[in-house]
Amino acid sequence: DVKVTQSSRYLVKRTGEKVFLECVQDMDHENMFWYRQDPGLGLRLIYFSYDVKMKEKGDIPEGYSVSREKKERFSLILESASTNQTSMYLCASSSPGQGGANVLTFGAGSRLTVL
Amino acid sequence: GIQVEQSPPDLILQEGANSTLRCNFSDSVNNLQWFHQNPWGQLINLFYIPSGTKQNGRLSATTVATERYSLLYISSSQTTDSGVYFCAVVPGSARQLTFGSGTQLTVLP
């Protein structure tokens, strides 16, 4: 019954490493999102995509990039990881529903620690 | 951008008690959703409720869009209700959700 799958539950990386976080959804959703969650700050949007090969910046895109080569897959890339990118990363997908609603379905999250 | 404020930030209840969580937002919205994040981090959508009232078992939600707030009611709370409850909105001009900072609920046995 898994619908949004994030490739890694826990990752530990070193400063300066390139990090890939993968997200796959099997619901044929058009929209995909990457959020990061930090204590006291809620969820903040990093990037989102409404179509293949399309991406838009969210509220905190600095230090991140994304790739969407296929409809079902949305990758978050940290080109050079830094300690302030230690966080929980959450992927979500949605599709316009009745009345234009976009009800999000989330993956289980990827907890990244950068040493 | 739009401001989303949730209250209270923390809530501790005895099993069986009722509770009300509040979400205030600073601008008109066309989409409002409530989520529950369990202690293992999984976020589950509870309600899509841009206006009106909905009920799902022991949970119900009401959004008064004209007054820019939404309420989530939990009745006869259970320990499995513990976790963080998030409100998220889409302002009229945007396409993506903005989240509040959440209410941490702990239900004691």
Side-chain angles (χ1 to χ4, degrees):
Chain A
D1 191 39
V2 175
K3 297 179 178 179
V4 180
T5 303
Q6 295 186 228
S7 56
S8 302
R9 190 80 173 96
Y10 299 96
L11 301 93
V12 180
K13 299 292 182 180
R14 296 214 173 265
T15 301
E17 281 192 78
K18 191 169 186 176
V19 181
F20 291 88
L21 299 178
E22 304 286 345
C23 176
V24 177
Q25 51 94 3
D26 63 0
M27 296 171 287
D28 200 35
H29 282 173
E30 290 86 357
N31 312 321
M32 297 189 75
F33 306 83
W34 275 106
Y35 289 87
R36 66 176 280 177
Q37 182 179 12
D38 301 288
L41 297 177
L43 277 72
R44 293 179 292 167
L45 183 63
I46 305 172
Y47 268 97
F48 58 102
S49 168
Y50 288 118
D51 202 352
V52 175
K53 296 190 185 294
M54 173 274 179
K55 60 185 178 183
E56 290 192 34
K57 293 180 180 179
D59 299 318
I60 52 164
E62 295 78 18
Y64 303 95
S65 62
V66 291
S67 172
R68 194 167 182 197
E69 295 296 318
K70 294 185 177 181
K71 187 177 184 180
E72 67 270 19
R73 185 180 299 270
F74 192 37
S75 303
L76 180 69
I77 304 157
L78 288 66
E79 293 289 343
S80 178
S82 63
T83 55
N84 63 13
Q85 292 179 309
T86 292
S87 187
M88 169 72 93
Y89 290 88
L90 293 157
C91 176
S93 70
S94 73
S95 189
Q98 186 177 12
N102 280 289
V103 176
L104 293 186
T105 300
F106 278 90
S110 297
R111 186 168 293 282
L112 172 66
T113 301
V114 182
L115 302 176
Chain B
I2 192 168
Q3 303 300 309
V4 183
E5 296 181 356
Q6 292 187 243
S7 59
D10 297 280
L11 185 59
I12 300 174
L13 302 173
Q14 285 295 137
E15 199 166 26
N18 302 328
S19 62
T20 301
L21 283 58
R22 186 177 181 101
C23 173
N24 292 333
F25 42 94
S26 61
D27 203 351
S28 60
V29 300
N30 57 39
N31 186 331
L32 187 146
Q33 299 177 32
W34 282 98
F35 295 85
H36 174 227
Q37 186 174 40
N38 66 24
W40 296 271
Q42 180 68 58
L43 273 150
I44 302 294
N45 185 282
L46 298 175
F47 293 103
Y48 163 72
I49 186 164
S51 63
T53 297
K54 289 186 178 179
Q55 181 156 6
N56 184 1
R58 295 182 296 103
L59 274 60
S60 64
T62 295
T63 297
V64 183
T66 54
E67 298 188 19
R68 300 181 182 172
Y69 73 89
S70 183
L71 302 174
L72 179 69
Y73 305 96
I74 304 173
S75 64
S76 304
S77 59
Q78 301 175 359
T79 55
T80 52
D81 295 331
S82 294
V84 184
Y85 289 80
F86 288 103
C87 167
V89 302
V90 179
S93 59
R95 299 176 72 182
Q96 67 275 17
L97 287 168
T98 297
F99 282 75
S101 55
T103 292
Q104 173 77 57
L105 174 65
T106 303
V107 181
L108 303 175

